[in-house]
């Protein structure tokens, strides 16, 4: 079963469309929650049990140091010089490989993936 996603405003629209086409339940901040704070995103993701997909490094600080509610997973993308659809493709590939990402803060790059357990 595919995880439900909460996609930050910094994720390009073609990636959002790609993930939806691949069968993901995607809540887009840009479409449904424009202007919400990062803290608000964490609260929404936790309440709705959605994984956060973002390019924003602040989520690590909020989850690990400030102890905001932890969603099932956070996927932080690190990509340079990419097409607007590429983040969606990369996330779909990582999740499809069944890498057991639930419960982790994931840093996902084109050629590598690191994960750290979410705080209790």
């Amino acid at each position: 079963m595919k995880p439900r996603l909460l996609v930050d405003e910094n994720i390009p629209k073609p990636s959002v469309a790609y993930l939806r086409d691949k069968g993901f339940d995607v809540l887009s901040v840009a479409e449904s929650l424009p202007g919400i704070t990062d803290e608000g995103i964490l609260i929404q993701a936790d309440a709705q049990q959605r994984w956060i997909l973002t390019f924003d490094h602040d989520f690590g600080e909020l989850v690990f140091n400030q102890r905001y509610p932890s969603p099932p997973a956070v996927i932080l993308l690190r990509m340079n010089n990419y097409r607007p659809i590429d983040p969606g493709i990369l996330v779909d590939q990582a999740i499809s490989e069944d890498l057991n990402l639930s419960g982790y803060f994931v840093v996902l790059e084109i050629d590598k993936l690191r994960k750290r357990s979410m705080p209790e």
Side-chain angles (χ1 to χ4, degrees):
M1 188 166 133
K2 294 185 179 199
R4 299 171 68 214
L5 304 175
L6 197 162
V7 178
D8 202 355
E9 287 178 308
N10 54 25
I11 303 300
K13 288 180 183 180
S15 285
V16 173
Y18 178 87
L19 290 166
R20 286 180 175 147
D21 287 346
K22 289 295 187 173
F24 287 93
D25 175 344
V26 179
L27 175 62
S28 167
V29 170
E31 295 169 0
S32 303
L33 305 164
I36 191 173
T37 63
D38 292 344
E39 295 85 353
I41 290 172
L42 280 168
I43 291 166
Q44 287 290 323
D46 179 51
Q48 297 181 27
Q49 290 299 287
R50 291 181 181 271
W51 295 17
I52 295 173
L53 177 58
T54 187
F55 278 101
D56 188 345
H57 295 85
D58 293 340
F59 285 97
E61 166 71 21
L62 293 170
V63 168
F64 291 106
N65 296 333
Q66 295 186 29
R67 299 292 187 175
Y68 271 83
S70 296
V74 175
I75 298 177
L76 172 64
L77 291 159
R78 288 192 178 162
M79 302 172 72
N80 295 316
N81 304 319
Y82 59 87
R83 299 171 304 161
I85 199 169
D86 290 342
I89 294 170
L90 186 62
V91 168
D92 180 44
Q93 288 172 344
I95 292 172
S96 295
E97 290 175 9
D98 192 27
L99 299 172
N100 188 26
L101 303 179
S102 184
Y104 291 95
F105 189 99
V106 178
V107 178
L108 184 58
E109 300 179 51
I110 300 275
D111 56 352
K112 67 181 174 180
L113 177 147
R114 293 182 317 242
K115 60 185 186 176
R116 177 178 173 190
S117 293
M118 296 291 261
E120 294 292 322

